[in-house]
Amino acid sequence: MAATTTAESNSNNHNDSSSTEPPPPKKNKTATTSTVKAILFDMDGTLLDTESLSDKALLTGLFDGGDDASNAGGKASSGDNCLLPESIRSKSPMSEWRLPWELKKQILGLRGTEWAPITLEYAAREGWYQDNTRHPPPSPQRLIDAWEQYLSNMCEDIEACAGAKALVEAVKRACPSCKLAIATSSRKAGVDKKRTRHEKHLFEHIDAIVAGDDPAVQCGKPAPDIYIEAAKRLEVDPADCLVFEDALRSEEHTSELQSRQYLV
């Protein structure tokens, strides 16, 4: 047998040593363009341009004094801001029926039971009711109910967000097998009303809708529960999904979902 050279011996020793090294740790699975099997959309502010009308309905609900919203919605939809106290309607952006960004960024994407207390606390802190003895602050539930009714009265004014229908149809043309779902904090009754003018080119392509009041959703946004449930109903791994949202999300909740997300 031929003698083994020193170099060969060293090489063999090196190879033997390297073969015992543990394999590199596996990376967490996240969506890539080659693994995307489903797209999950937020609805309000992402597919449907409801944010300006939502602001209008919320401001009206804050100061309607318990009026019957089913009969008073025309005031909000017509832009008549007489419901707002002078101290409020004289200030921007409320003079244009828009919420201050300081408040808006706190409540984007939340369910009513979560955004109503935040809104009322903000209004109290800013002194919105100090000069408004005629209309005391509503309860959180009264505010939610009024907001939903006023917004419902304006459903015919809701437009699709620019490019939303084109995006959905382009996805279905490029990948007919790709499944689409909506995950929205709006309650199901609100979704049913908001979608009425947008079945063609948009909702007709949606395979599943998970609303904020769905019993399967334990925690509302920004927790990932609603998106995980949407992926489950599509029978797709959340890591194989793309998510389109308009609300800021924390890094903690993003990592829990493990989907690629786009903020619009």
Side-chain angles (χ1 to χ4, degrees), residues 93-223:
M94 287 81 79
S95 57
E96 301 297 324
W97 287 101
R98 298 309 301 262
L99 292 175
W101 176 241
E102 185 61 33
L103 170 59
K104 187 73 173 180
K105 68 181 181 181
Q106 297 181 58
I107 65 175
L108 266 175
L110 299 184
R111 295 187 287 192
T113 53
E114 296 159 338
W115 62 250
I118 294 173
T119 300
L120 290 167
E121 288 172 11
Y122 179 91
R125 188 169 62 249
E126 294 297 311
W128 285 6
Y129 292 101
Q130 286 181 355
D131 301 324
N132 187 31
T133 56
R134 186 180 58 155
H135 293 157
S139 67
Q141 189 57 53
R142 163 61 197 166
L143 178 58
I144 295 168
D145 293 342
W147 170 78
E148 285 194 332
Q149 185 60 63
Y150 282 121
L151 190 56
S152 174
N153 293 343
M154 294 185 280
C155 275
E156 291 186 0
D157 298 327
I158 293 177
E159 299 291 345
C161 289
K165 292 182 178 180
L167 171 62
V168 169
E169 294 206 302
V171 168
K172 295 306 293 184
R173 283 196 303 270
C175 183
S177 64
C178 188
K179 298 180 179 179
L180 306 183
I182 287 175
T184 174
S185 294
S186 291
R187 295 199 283 195
K188 184 180 183 302
V191 175
D192 291 342
K193 292 178 180 178
K194 293 173 185 177
R195 66 183 290 179
T196 52
R197 293 181 55 235
H198 304 287
E199 290 296 329
K200 191 175 182 180
H201 307 304
L202 206 165
F203 281 88
E204 65 178 347
H205 299 301
I206 302 300
D207 300 296
I209 298 177
V210 183
D213 59 350
D214 193 294
V217 180
Q218 296 282 321
C219 299
K221 297 179 184 181

Side-chain angles (χ1 to χ4, degrees), residues 205-260:
H205 299 301
I206 302 300
D207 300 296
I209 298 177
V210 183
D213 59 350
D214 193 294
V217 180
Q218 296 282 321
C219 299
K221 297 179 184 181
D225 300 38
I226 195 166
Y227 284 110
I228 293 174
E229 180 61 26
K232 179 180 178 181
R233 294 188 188 181
L234 296 179
E235 299 181 338
V236 174
D237 189 320
D240 292 332
C241 298
L242 292 182
V243 174
F244 286 85
E245 256 283 359
D246 71 329
L248 301 174
R249 308 177 66 81
S250 70
E251 182 178 352
E252 174 188 355
H253 291 128
T254 299
S255 62
E256 287 180 54
L257 185 57
Q258 292 190 342
S259 301
R260 180 183 294 178

Side-chain angles (χ1 to χ4, degrees), residues 50-100:
T50 58
E51 291 306 321
S52 60
L53 298 180
S54 178
D55 286 5
K56 189 182 295 186
L58 197 154
L59 283 168
T60 307
L62 279 170
F63 297 104
D64 70 355
D67 291 341
D68 182 1
S70 63
N71 296 323
K75 296 179 181 178
S77 61
S78 66
D80 178 7
N81 61 5
C82 64
L83 289 173
L84 305 184
E86 173 60 32
S87 59
I88 301 299
R89 67 174 181 263
S90 62
K91 296 179 181 178
S92 179
M94 287 81 79
S95 57
E96 301 297 324
W97 287 101
R98 298 309 301 262
L99 292 175

